[in-house]
Amino acid sequence: MIYLDAAATSLQKPEGVYSAVDHAIRAMASPGRGGHEPAMLAADLAFDCRCDAAELFHMDAPENVVFTFNATHGLNIAINSLVRPGDRVVTSGYEHNSVMRPLRLRGAEVVVAASPLWDANAMASAFAAALPGAKAAVCTMMSNVFGFITPIEDIAELCRKNGVPLIIDASQAAGNMDIDFKALDAAFIAMPGHKGLMGPQGTGLLLCGQRGLPLLAGGTGSDSKNPDMPADLPDRLEAGTHNITGIAGLREGIRYVKEHGPARIGRHEAELLRRLGEGLGKVPELELFLSDDARVQGGVLSARHPRIDCEFIAETLGTAGVAVRAGQHCAPWAHKMAGTEHTGTVRFSVSPFNTPQEMDQAAEITAECVKKLLADRK
């Protein structure tokens, strides 16, 4: 199989991830739940993972790295911490439902800083116009539908000037873009562990610029006499037993990213995407959402065909051995920005483990599948 659905989950992992998960489930208990060796091994592992993440994302305090179940969990913590019912919150037009649905649930007044696809200057201008008077802002670093890299540094600077706390969704950026927590000065940055950081599903990180409010309450293995959640991070936001086997895999994934460098990984993925785009560009009538400027697009490429439903294309590709995703990708606003809200797209997304040869093969298989589907319509 040619796996081109890394924007959903990285299927191929570094070998160290598999070994770490196996070792942890055999040898480790729960951190903070005993002074015996299995518990202490788990505590050391969790601390080491926080330190590795803090180093990767340029943070001074590893205790401000909070473990979550996924990016959605982290974004809910961040939004719950900053937003009250009726608060005016500014978002980009490319946010995932993991942002838009929690804001709606919270009763926020959401202002979408709408901008055309690939136009970073227009996005920054839209934020500049919308931020005055806002209580918070949320912005993705990279669109999960189109790979559009947002001008997050400019938006962060605008938020600082307006005194508006910023929540960043780094779901598609963590692992393939340099993320400097200190330079961005965000209130929170949320990310999954199972995408670009190469960890297992059920893991994530929330980088905290402030203490935040607990979303869950319960045992932390610390300060047990306190009827309230502990005041300090990370325990304040980490109720219940940790996914220590997942954290073990996540640590190895982070170490892989540190070793190879997120910028280098990002360049590799961008090069693969251009090669794939070149091949797919030869498929008759297939519309590609490929920017002329490679600097504003990561390793995600969407496409659609005017005469074939996207779901049919994805299903046929899957049967032929190419794994992609079709539909709205949990990001209806992004489709509104690009004019694909009624059709959706077929999404191809790459990882560090894909090869140029796979891009050529995937393009050839796509051409064959499209030809077959058109023939079946006759």
Side-chain angles (χ1 to χ4, degrees):
M1 172 183 284
I2 301 173
Y3 188 77
L4 298 178
D5 196 19
T9 294
S10 58
L11 182 64
Q12 301 104 322
K13 313 283 187 184
E15 283 299 322
V17 172
Y18 306 122
S19 300
V21 170
D22 181 72
H23 174 67
I25 204 167
R26 295 175 187 274
M28 297 181 191
S30 296
R33 273 75 171 179
H36 48 77
E37 183 179 10
M40 296 307 295
L41 285 173
D44 290 344
L45 168 74
F47 180 72
D48 288 347
C49 187
R50 292 187 212 277
C51 290
D52 284 328
E55 182 180 348
L56 178 61
F57 301 118
H58 306 281
M59 301 178 70
D60 292 329
E63 62 269 20
N64 285 17
V65 177
V66 168
F67 294 123
T68 61
F69 307 133
N70 43 51
T72 299
H73 180 201
L75 288 164
N76 271 265
I77 292 173
I79 289 168
N80 182 68
S81 297
L82 295 181
V83 179
R84 299 292 172 268
D87 281 356
R88 188 165 174 270
V89 180
V90 181
T91 74
S92 82
Y94 297 88
E95 301 307 316
H96 192 275
N97 278 338
S98 56
V99 168
M100 303 308 280
R101 285 177 174 172
L103 287 173
R104 180 177 175 82
L105 187 65
R106 198 71 174 136
E109 177 196 346
V110 178
V111 177
V112 176
S115 59
L117 185 60
W118 315 129
D119 195 335
N121 290 332
M123 179 181 286
S125 296
F127 266 91
L131 279 173
K135 296 295 185 181
V138 191
C139 188
T140 184
M141 287 188 72
M142 184 193 299
S143 166
N144 72 303
V145 182
F146 302 105
F148 176 26
I149 298 172
T150 65
I152 197 66
E153 292 86 359
D154 295 338
I155 291 166
E157 178 62 25
L158 288 166
C159 286
R160 284 192 291 273
K161 288 181 178 179
N162 285 275
V164 177
L166 173 63
I167 299 168
I168 296 175
D169 179 3
S171 293
Q172 301 300 329
N176 53 56
M177 290 179 63
D178 285 324
I179 298 175
D180 190 329
F181 183 81
K182 287 187 287 188
L184 289 168
D185 194 26
F188 298 98
I189 302 179
M191 61 192 67
H194 66 97
K195 298 187 183 185
L197 294 181
M198 302 291 155
Q201 295 97 321
T203 61
L205 299 174
L206 182 65
L207 313 183
C208 300
Q210 53 181 260
R211 289 193 309 162
L213 295 176
L215 189 65
L216 298 174
T220 59
S222 64
D223 199 15
S224 293
K225 290 185 178 181
N226 188 348
D228 298 316
M229 288 296 288
D232 296 328
L233 294 173
D235 290 1
R236 179 172 175 79
L237 302 179
E238 291 182 359
T241 300
H242 292 80
N243 176 11
I244 206 66
T245 54
I247 292 169
L250 176 58
R251 181 185 66 172
E252 292 305 313
I254 290 172
R255 288 180 173 181
Y256 173 90
V257 171
K258 285 172 62 180
E259 178 184 352
H260 290 81
R264 180 182 171 191
I265 291 172
R267 285 193 298 272
H268 171 74
E269 293 181 355
E271 289 168 2
L272 291 176
L273 189 82
R274 293 284 141 180
R275 184 157 181 157
L276 177 62
E278 182 179 345
L280 291 176
K282 299 174 184 177
V283 180
E285 299 183 80
L286 192 67
E287 180 184 6
L288 301 183
F289 292 86
L290 186 65
S291 173
D292 293 333
D293 184 355
R295 295 172 299 177
V296 298
Q297 187 169 12
V300 180
L301 173 61
S302 268
R304 65 177 176 178
H305 196 282
R307 294 192 284 153
I308 310 173
D309 187 277
C310 289
E311 298 286 355
F312 292 160
I313 295 175
E315 181 180 353
T316 306
L317 282 171
T319 302
V322 180
V324 297
R325 184 180 175 188
Q328 296 287 323
H329 313 99
C330 301
W333 266 101
H335 286 281
K336 289 180 183 180
M337 296 296 99
T340 56
E341 67 267 36
H342 300 303
T343 61
T345 60
V346 180
R347 184 184 69 185
F348 301 80
S349 52
V350 299
S351 83
F353 297 101
N354 287 125
T355 66
Q357 292 73 27
E358 286 181 322
M359 301 303 102
D360 297 341
Q361 293 168 7
E364 292 172 3
I365 294 170
T366 301
E368 293 169 3
C369 289
V370 168
K371 183 178 180 180
K372 177 183 181 299
L373 288 167
L374 289 173
D376 290 345
R377 291 170 57 92
K378 295 180 180 179

